[in-house]
Every structure is written in structure tokens, then in C-alpha cells.
DNA sequence: GATTCGTGGAT
DNA sequence: TATCCAAGAAT
């Protein structure tokens, strides 16, 4: 079965230099799952959370990596995954950690609700499931932070369940393979259905990871390397020559620029910090005091939101602005600095933190930019 | 169904 | 430079 998949397809293509849409080369529909797995066995990526071929996956590592990989690149996740596994080697260990410690470790990775749900999920698995992840898609789906994709991914990869998770990679591969004209997200059910036909009778997890690797390395968003694809000219979009235009989706609108002010207060070797609200943007993370962020922010109004500090009346405005781009709006912050006298009290809800230990704080990258700009 | 949620790299 | 977008979920 394995021998026919790739080795068998090549000579047939050679004998038919004239390729027509009516006689596509490449594996037949029924042969695709095997061809995909054969490709995977040769070209699978080596990733920190992926055990060697044939070695069963650790559900905890699979879950942790899947949460981190939501809307996040493999490269960005790598070091975070290693850090988490080293500090919390099991779901029970993670469940015993404080949310604050988890947020500190997650700082910089973005989408901080994932970190809150990660912690809540670890607690739930520890307390309600005895430290063992549910081994069904339905059971997994009930956990915080685990949606349709992640539940299917864990079920297939960690427990061998016959289900096909559909992520952005697989949406792209499948929409090209079948030239799905319908736009996302309306096309999701159809794509899910088509993706499931690529599931082999065994090795469900490998089938899914194969499609993801294919999407990440061959069937890329721009300039796909179609010549190296195991599906070959079985791909309708490739035959049409417009693979790059799939998947269809409506262009997304960019949000309006918002502006605000940030206030960096030093007291000797210390810095004034506070925590953000538990939910919402950068929820639960640490920040320096700052104003509202508004589309039509008035500079004077923003500056007036500086924290009230006894003995502090003069603020220096740093030249330039700190810019940051969130998913749905760009942000410009003006930075004001001041030096508070020794002994100055932190206002209610705020605290002093050593500059030398800022690396250990739950500071999102925006705040790290602000502090770097201020202390520059 | 549409919004809200970070960040950095590639093109 | 501007745009896209990466193993999506929650609301």
C-alpha cells in the first residue's frame, strides 16, 4: 500500500506529459489517505511536542502545544512549550500552580485568555478527571479553552480517535484540493466533510498532522510548492493554476488608530506597576499606569490621567511614540516619565517593582516596549 | 454570525 | 510599507 502511493504516481506522470483536467495525475481519491501518510513518513517536521515516529504522544504535551499553537506560529511557541514542560511536567503540576505564575510564563505569547483557560483547564482535569484528560472529542470539548479544532486534534493525536481536526492549514489544503468556491467561514462544514475523507483507517493523528505539515511547508498561503505535493494534479486548484487564491474569504477591515498615554514612574531602581482587569484586552496582565485608548484621544485629557503621586508634579514627555498593533486596532502611546522621591507611596492598586526583575513580571510586549522606550 | 482577543515574521 | 496571517475560542 505504501509502495504504490508515491513511487507509483511518478512514472505515470512521466508517461503523460500532456496533462488535462479530465485526466489528472496523482493518487485516486481512495488512495489519498495512504499517499498523505507516505509523504508524512518522509517529510514530517521534527517539533518539540512531537515524539519520534511510532512513539505514543503524551496527552498533556499535546494539549499544551495545541493551546499554544492557536493562532500562533510554531517558531513562537517552541521556547514557551519548553519552558512550560520544564517547570510543569504534568497537568497536575500545572493545576497546582497559581494563575499569576502561569500568566508570567505566558507573557509575550499573546491571546492571554488562553493562559487563563489553560490554568482553568489544568485545574479541572486535575480535580474532576483525576489528572487524566478525557479521551473523547466530546469530553475534551467541555474543557475551558478547548474548541472544536483543539478537541478533535487532541482526540486524534493523543488518543487515536477517528476524527479530523480542521485548522487554517487544512482549510487551505482542502479548499485548494477541491477548489471550494464558497467563502469562509460559510464553507467550514463542507471543508470539514472533505477533510474527513483524507483520514486513513488508522493513524488518525498522523493524518491530521500530515495535512498541517503539508499546509505549513508545501501548500503555503503564498507561492505554494505544488510540484512537491503528494496530491499532485489531483488538486483542482493546481490544475486551474489559481491555487494561491484559495481559500476564498472576505477581506477583513482594519480598525481605526487609537491613541493614549503611558506613565513610567521610577523610584530609584524601582518602577510603578499595576494589574489590568481580569478579562478583556490583556486581561490579568501587568502594566504601567496608562490612560484610556481612544480613536479621538485628546493629548491633554490623556495626560491628565497620570497617577496622583505625592511629591510628583513634573512629568517629562519622551520624544516619539510607542506603536503597537493589536488584532483589531493599531495603538500609539505617548510616554511620560517622572522620578518619584524615595519613600513615595504607591497609589491604591499599584506597587513598586524592581527594574532588575521586570523579566519575571507578567508584562505583555506592548508594556515592555513602553518601558524600554521610557528608560532609553 | 460578527467581534474580540497579541505578536512577530513573511511577502 | 501595507497586508496577511499563524495547529481558534469565547462571547
Amino acid at each position: 500500500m505504501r509502495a504504490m502511493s508515491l513511487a507509483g504516481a511518478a512514472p505515470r506522470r512521466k508517461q503523460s506529459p500532456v496533462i488535462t483536467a479530465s485526466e489528472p495525475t496523482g493518487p485516486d481519491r481512495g488512495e489519498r489517505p495512504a499517499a498523505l501518510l507516505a509523504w508524512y513518513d518522509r517529510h514530517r517536521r521534527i517539533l518539540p511536542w512531537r515524539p519520534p515516529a511510532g512513539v505514543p504522544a503524551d496527552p498533556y504535551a499535546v494539549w499544551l502545544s495545541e493551546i499554544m499553537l492557536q493562532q500562533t506560529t510554531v517558531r513562537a511557541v517552541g521556547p514557551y512549550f519548553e519552558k512550560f514542560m520544564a517547570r510543569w511536567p504534568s497537568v497536575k503540576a500545572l493545576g497546582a500552580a497559581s494563575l499569576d505564575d502561569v500568566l508570567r510564563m505566558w507573557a509575550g505569547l499573546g491571546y492571554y485568555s488562553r493562559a487563563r483557560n489553560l490554568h482553568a483547564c489544568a485545574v479541572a482535569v486535575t480535580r474532576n478527571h483525576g489528572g487524566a484528560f478525557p479521551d473523547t472529542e466530546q469530553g475534551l470539548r467541555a474543557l475551558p479553552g478547548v474548541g472544536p479544532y483543539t478537541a478533535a486534534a487532541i482526540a486524534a493525536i493523543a488518543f487515536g480517535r477517528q476524527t479530523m481536526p480542521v485548522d487554517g492549514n487544512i482549510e487551505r489544503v482542502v479548499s485548494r484540493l477541491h477548489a471550494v468556491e464558497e467563502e469562509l467561514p460559510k464553507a467550514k462544514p463542507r471543508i470539514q466533510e472533505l477533510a474527513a475523507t483524507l483520514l486513513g483507517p488508522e493513524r488518525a493523528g498522523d493524518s491530521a498532522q500530515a495535512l498541517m505539515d503539508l499546509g505549513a511547508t508545501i501548500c503555503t498561503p503564498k507561492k505554494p510548492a505544488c510540484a512537491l505535493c503528494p496530491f499532485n494534479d489531483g488538486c483542482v486548484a493546481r490544475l486551474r493554476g489559481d491555487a494561491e487564491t484559495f481559500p476564498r474569504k472576505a477581506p477583513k477591515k482594519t480598525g481605526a488608530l487609537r491613541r493614549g498615554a503611558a506613565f513610567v514612574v521610577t523610584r530609584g531602581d524601582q518602577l510603578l506597576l499595576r494589574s489590568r482587569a481580569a478579562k478583556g484586552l490583556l486581561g490579568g496582565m501587568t502594566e504601567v499606569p496608562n490612560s484610556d485608548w481612544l480613536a479621538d484621544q485628546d493629548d491633554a485629557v490623556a495626560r491628565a490621567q497620570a497617577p496622583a503621586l505625592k511629591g510628583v508634579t513634573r512629568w517629562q514627555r519622551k520624544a516619539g511614540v510607542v506603536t503597537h498593533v493589536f488584532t483589531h486596532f493599531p495603538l500609539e502611546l505617548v510616554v511620560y516619565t517622572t522620578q518619584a522621591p524615595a519613600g513615595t507611596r504607591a497609589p491604591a492598586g499599584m506597587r513598586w517593582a524592581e527594574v532588575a526583575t521586570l523579566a519575571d513580571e507578567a508584562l505583555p510586549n506592548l508594556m515592555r516596549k513602553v518601558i524600554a522606550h521610557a528608560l532609553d
Side-chain angles (χ1 to χ4, degrees):
Chain A
M1 182 176 242
R2 177 174 301 179
M4 64 182 290
S5 53
L6 280 177
R12 184 170 59 186
R13 188 172 68 241
K14 239 179 181 178
Q15 290 164 1
S16 308
V18 178
I19 295 172
T20 66
S22 58
E23 289 184 81
T25 62
D28 296 335
R29 287 173 189 277
E31 299 171 340
R32 282 174 182 164
L36 178 62
L37 286 170
W39 176 86
Y40 184 66
D41 289 337
R42 283 179 177 274
H43 302 293
R44 68 197 291 272
R45 290 176 293 173
I46 305 299
L47 301 172
W49 46 87
R50 190 179 278 178
V55 177
D58 168 17
Y60 171 65
V62 172
W63 164 73
L64 178 60
S65 66
E66 289 299 341
I67 300 299
M68 288 183 166
L69 285 162
Q70 290 167 6
Q71 296 293 285
T72 309
T73 58
V74 163
R75 169 181 300 198
V77 166
Y80 283 86
F81 176 80
E82 304 280 19
K83 280 196 313 183
F84 271 70
M85 287 300 288
R87 179 159 178 184
W88 299 299
S90 68
V91 67
K92 284 187 176 179
L94 184 57
S98 72
L99 173 58
D100 221 45
D101 282 344
V102 173
L103 288 177
R104 275 194 283 271
M105 289 286 275
W106 195 278
L109 196 56
Y111 285 138
Y112 298 100
S113 66
R114 291 184 299 170
R116 301 194 298 272
N117 285 328
L118 184 84
H119 181 256
C121 183
V123 170
V125 169
T126 299
R127 288 167 44 172
N128 306 335
H129 301 276
F133 278 87
D135 64 356
T136 66
E137 203 170 345
Q138 184 182 5
L140 290 160
R141 182 67 183 79
L143 296 170
V146 177
Y149 162 78
T150 304
I154 299 172
I157 298 170
F159 300 113
R161 298 287 183 179
Q162 282 292 307
T163 181
M164 178 62 88
V166 178
D167 73 326
N169 285 306
I170 299 180
E171 281 178 347
R172 187 169 58 254
V173 171
V174 170
S175 66
R176 287 173 176 175
L177 189 57
H178 297 277
V180 176
E181 292 291 350
E182 194 175 14
E183 276 190 355
L184 286 173
K186 282 181 60 180
K188 278 179 179 289
R190 176 60 179 155
I191 290 175
Q192 171 74 63
E193 187 181 332
L194 292 168
T197 68
L198 297 171
L199 206 54
E202 320 240 315
R203 302 179 63 189
D206 284 349
S207 294
Q209 294 180 91
L211 279 180
M212 292 187 241
D213 279 17
L214 188 63
T217 63
I218 305 294
C219 195
T220 49
K222 307 290 181 188
K223 299 186 185 306
C226 295
L228 303 178
C229 180
F231 295 137
N232 220 300
D233 283 332
C235 177
V236 179
R238 180 189 182 186
L239 287 176
R240 296 164 30 142
D242 62 349
E244 196 172 320
T245 67
F246 291 92
R248 308 287 196 225
K249 57 176 70 171
K252 47 188 165 188
K253 46 220 166 214
T254 60
L257 171 70
R258 299 184 199 179
R259 299 188 304 125
F263 307 97
V264 176
V265 186
T266 52
R267 189 185 74 170
D269 294 331
Q270 297 177 319
L271 207 60
L272 189 62
L273 298 180
R274 69 183 185 188
S275 290
R276 293 179 62 86
K279 293 183 180 179
L281 185 66
L282 307 177
M285 301 298 285
T286 299
E287 66 179 5
V288 299
N290 59 87
S291 73
D292 297 330
W293 304 341
L294 304 173
D296 53 351
Q297 180 66 280
D298 181 274
D299 287 341
V301 170
R303 177 171 179 165
Q305 295 176 41
L309 291 162
K310 209 167 214 174
V312 170
T313 54
R314 314 176 78 87
W315 292 85
Q316 293 85 44
R317 179 185 163 166
K318 289 294 281 190
V321 293
V322 172
T323 64
H324 194 75
V325 180
F326 290 104
T327 305
H328 50 300
F329 67 92
L331 176 68
E332 262 185 28
L333 290 181
V334 171
V335 177
Y336 295 93
T337 64
T338 193
Q339 294 76 43
T344 301
R345 301 282 184 177
M350 303 191 196
R351 61 189 171 84
W352 297 105
E354 299 290 335
V355 172
T357 61
L358 287 181
D360 301 324
E361 296 284 350
L363 289 164
N365 280 0
L366 162 62
M367 291 300 154
R368 295 186 186 278
K369 283 191 209 175
V370 167
I371 293 168
H373 182 68
L375 302 184
D376 184 42

